[in-house]
Amino acid sequence: MSASTEWAKAPDFAGQPARLEAIHAQTVADKASYLDDGMNEVECRTCGTCVLVRKNSLEHTSVQWTDDPAKTCPTFRDAVGEGKSTALREGCPRLWDSIDHAVMEGFIDVRDRVE
């Protein structure tokens, strides 16, 4: 590549409106697939905190909190009260138990179940 050649990480499709529209549509579909599809409500069996959960495999669990965990989950609330950061927390063990229970009871499907 010569010094005068411009390089971009992603091509610019400014002159191709149909292509731009297709890319936008695929981006919207990808966002829905990664952030929304397959999410199931799970309520903690201890405190009642509700989260959205997707099991991509037995090892991979996606959790989206529907509220601030420091306000709804006693484990997170206690950590904040002790001045600890919740950003690096693994989560709440009681919530994880509730998620595992929901999987065992069949309320949550595991997308890539290898048995």
Side-chain angles (χ1 to χ4, degrees):
M1 180 163 34
S2 70
S4 64
T5 302
E6 290 189 33
W7 180 84
K9 189 171 187 178
D12 179 5
F13 298 113
Q16 302 175 40
R19 182 102 185 243
L20 282 173
E21 186 176 329
I23 291 169
H24 176 72
Q26 187 59 53
T27 301
V28 169
D30 287 345
K31 182 179 177 187
S33 174
Y34 288 112
L35 299 179
D36 300 326
D37 292 349
M39 299 299 279
N40 297 281
E41 288 187 356
V42 173
E43 190 173 288
C44 177
R45 298 183 323 148
T46 301
C47 71
T49 295
C50 186
V51 296
L52 299 175
V53 175
R54 177 177 54 230
K55 288 291 288 180
N56 294 318
S57 70
L58 291 174
E59 296 81 23
H60 183 236
T61 305
S62 295
V63 176
Q64 290 183 12
W65 290 82
T66 57
D67 290 307
D68 180 356
K71 293 181 180 174
T72 61
C73 174
T75 299
F76 279 86
R77 188 172 42 246
D78 292 347
V80 168
E82 295 169 6
K84 297 177 182 172
S85 171
T86 60
L88 301 177
R89 270 197 82 78
E90 290 283 328
C92 172
R94 292 180 291 274
L95 179 60
W96 285 113
D97 288 345
S98 298
I99 293 169
D100 290 343
H101 180 262
V103 170
M104 289 186 326
E105 291 294 323
F107 298 124
I108 297 177
D109 289 329
V110 179
R111 289 180 166 204
D112 187 21
R113 185 181 290 261
V114 178
E115 302 191 33

